[in-house]
Amino acid sequence: QVQLVESGGGVVQPGRSLRLSCAASGFTFSSYAMHWVRQAPGKGLEWVALISYDGSNKYYADSVKGRFTISRDNSNKKLYLEMNSLTTEDTAVFYCARDASGSGYNWFDPWGQGTLVTVSS
Amino acid sequence: QSVLTQPPSASGTPGQRVTISCSGSSSNIGSNTVIWYQQLPGAAPKLLIYNTNQRPSGVPDRFSGSKSGTSASLAISGLQSEDEADYYCAAWDDSLKGWVFGGGTKLTVL
């Protein structure tokens, strides 16, 4: 079955970096756009970034532009989120999600179980 | 402050019909389809409605979506206790060149 498993979360100090991974299985990873979405504790969902099926197009939320980089490895069916200059405002559960298309403009289904990133000194 | 505006809470009794609104603008809801996600307590979000009014297989027909201009609605009929969850609307925003979400609506079944 289609499955997305995030990893790489943890506690990190402000100003430091962290890389999240999302391992995909059960579908042709290279055919679909992928997203990262985050949810701060007790708050709503916030879209973070999108990468098209072949990595040629990337979009970012203004809140992370210039600090976060989304990438993918189609041969190993993995999605990544490199996060730099982290602040306490970045504390959240990060979900990866598959788009219904290769472009990323459709809908997110399914979602992974999430990985918690805590930015704290 | 979310780009899409939802009421923070909604409630109903079992069997009732409830609606959740989602207000946006011409650059998002006004020109693109609306997506609804359901997030049960402690779980990851799940796709509930896509393309404004389409239900994925497995989603009961008690759930329906609609749109008019720059606003959208999610209706839940025959409310059940297992519908108690947070509901989020989302749409692609042509101006922001990104996805935008509503702030979420917490549905309580009384």
Side-chain angles (χ1 to χ4, degrees), chain B residues 27-108:
Chain B
S27 62
N28 42 65
I29 292 178
S31 51
N32 295 297
T33 63
V34 180
I35 317 301
W36 290 91
Y37 299 97
Q38 177 193 59
Q39 187 175 33
L40 295 170
K46 174 192 136 183
L47 178 67
L48 190 66
I49 297 286
Y50 67 96
N51 282 352
T52 302
N53 56 18
Q54 302 297 302
R55 281 176 289 104
S57 61
V59 172
D61 59 6
R62 303 185 295 104
F63 294 89
S64 62
S66 63
K67 182 178 92 166
S68 178
T70 59
S71 292
S73 290
L74 173 71
I76 310 171
S77 60
L79 200 60
Q80 299 181 5
S81 58
E82 56 259 41
D83 298 333
E84 196 160 276
D86 293 324
Y87 293 85
Y88 295 90
C89 58
W92 175 261
D93 192 293
D94 293 332
S95 296
L96 295 175
K97 294 247 184 316
W99 281 88
V100 292
F101 280 92
T105 299
K106 184 176 186 62
L107 175 64
T108 301

Side-chain angles (χ1 to χ4, degrees), chain A residues 35 37 39 43-47 50 59 95 99 104-109 111-113, chain B residues 33 35 37 39 43-47 50-51 88 92 96-103:
Chain A
H35 302 267
V37 178
Q39 185 170 35
K43 302 295 185 184
L45 301 174
E46 180 189 16
W47 174 78
L50 147 67
Y59 300 95
Y95 298 100
D99 196 273
Y105 308 139
N106 285 14
W107 54 89
F108 310 166
D109 182 46
W111 299 56
Q113 86 289 349
Chain B
T33 63
I35 317 301
Y37 299 97
Q39 187 175 33
K46 174 192 136 183
L47 178 67
Y50 67 96
N51 282 352
Y88 295 90
W92 175 261
L96 295 175
K97 294 247 184 316
W99 281 88
V100 292
F101 280 92

